[in-house]
Amino acid sequence: MRKKIIAGNWKMNYCVNRAEAFVDEIKDTINTDEVDVVICPNFMALDRISDLIDGTNIKLGAQNVYPEDKGAYTGETSVKMLSAIGVKYCIVGHSERRQYFNETDEFVNKKAKKLLEVDICPIVCVGETLEERESNNMFNVVEKQVRNSLDGIDKELMANKVVIAYEPIWAIGTGKTATAEQANEMCKHIRDVISKMYDEDTAQKVRIQYGGSVKPSNANEILNMSDIDGALVGGASLTNDFVAIVNY
Ligand code: 13P
């Protein structure tokens, strides 16, 4: 039985004080008994939020990382820097990074592997554009992203550490949610790809989230689908809606 994992991707929102006030408000009421709850604030707030959630079951996530150990990479952050302040998860390959910063599957793959070296779980995002869906090309597109982004990752780590997030680009921040059936169909397809890359046991263990306009009104239906093991929540993770989604 796969444990559900619900992560809040705050993107470029909330300065440190606002971030602290919000986490302070939800940290004792959010239900972390049955669901793994991850909060991914902006880099500036990571350290302070790490202190604030110490002693709770809320896990800290980062939104990005650079896949080199150290050196002349102005503006970048290494896996060890994240690990040192208690980061347990890190989003990689988000469509916004692929779109605005030209990140490729190969670069995403490097990041995922580097994170696993320090025991940080990568949340590897994949998903098709509207055009790719409308031309019925979405299954091929997502299969290629999954294969290339996860290439060469050890089977045990794949089964127990890697999280995959299916985020159709046309449903992000648009208010347009994939139907629960569409989301489940793609998550099932991703699981089949993992089965072909590894084996059925690994495919049954890996957790696959859905992301794209998840809100309290649709969380229950989405999270009860057979192949959806959680949600990656953007806008709704910045308010009390996040608590409601976790209590779906
Ligand atoms: P929204 O929930 O705002 O659509 O964002 C989804 C997302 O991109 C999470 O990573």
Side-chain angles (χ1 to χ4, degrees), residues 145-161:
Q145 289 175 338
V146 169
R147 285 186 179 275
N148 293 342
S149 305
L150 301 175
D151 183 50
I153 291 176
D154 171 84
K155 190 167 104 154
E156 282 301 305
L157 296 173
M158 188 62 225
N160 300 309
K161 298 282 175 183

Side-chain angles (χ1 to χ4, degrees), residues 18-39:
R18 183 76 186 83
E20 271 193 315
F22 177 56
V23 173
D24 207 28
E25 195 182 309
I26 64 167
K27 73 181 169 71
D28 296 320
T29 51
I30 201 157
N31 176 7
T32 54
D33 293 341
E34 285 130 62
V35 174
D36 284 335
V37 175
V38 184
I39 288 178

Side-chain angles (χ1 to χ4, degrees), residues 136-148:
N136 212 23
N137 213 11
M138 66 275 191
F139 294 114
N140 289 337
V141 167
V142 170
E143 172 156 3
K144 185 162 166 275
Q145 289 175 338
V146 169
R147 285 186 179 275
N148 293 342

